Amino acid sequence: MLTIADALAGRPAPLRFQALTATVRAGHLGSFLSKIPEIAAGITISHGDYPLTLFGRDYAVPGLAMRSPKTVLVNRAELIAIVAMQNAECEARFEPEPGTSFLLVRGVDSKDRLAE
């Protein structure tokens, strides 16, 4: 809850997880890889309200996004090796560069730009 409060107040709040996986649908891997830079780059993810359960009660907190200033696709070689299998669904794994982390931040609009 304090992490959410910090983010809503405009202070980026570190998240505890060290990796992010994304399911790439069958037939979309080549297109996905062409859009992901080979060098570490910033990533912002916003998908609507942030879910929070507090004392057994569910809440939906609006206006938040996840951000990492320097993130890299760590299993690119593995994914490139299976591009030919267009009917295969696979997992892309992203990790922040050493010394950086995933942050919970305040989103400012539908284009997922971050608040200053």
Side-chain angles (χ1 to χ4, degrees):
M1 196 159 73
L2 295 175
T3 299
I4 291 172
D6 278 345
L8 289 173
R11 296 181 297 271
L15 295 169
R16 294 182 182 202
F17 55 90
Q18 297 299 312
L20 168 71
T21 58
T23 301
V24 181
R25 295 184 317 209
H28 295 270
L29 183 56
S31 173
F32 173 81
L33 287 172
S34 71
K35 295 174 185 172
I36 304 298
E38 293 187 28
I39 60 171
I43 185 173
T44 301
I45 300 170
S46 178
H47 57 79
D49 296 343
Y50 189 83
L52 170 69
T53 302
L54 185 60
F55 299 111
R57 185 170 176 191
D58 293 331
Y59 298 89
V61 182
L64 294 172
M66 188 194 70
R67 172 86 176 140
S68 178
K70 291 186 176 181
T71 302
V72 66
L73 177 64
V74 295
N75 66 336
R76 180 181 295 277
E78 173 189 335
L79 296 176
I80 289 171
I82 62 172
V83 165
M85 298 171 36
Q86 290 297 315
N87 293 326
E89 185 173 274
C90 57
E91 296 291 322
R93 181 178 169 91
F94 296 89
E95 293 180 4
E97 279 199 331
T100 65
S101 64
F102 290 108
L103 305 167
L104 190 61
V105 296
R106 182 172 46 132
V108 295
D109 65 18
S110 62
K111 295 181 183 173
D112 296 334
R113 291 192 310 247
L114 300 179
E116 295 298 325

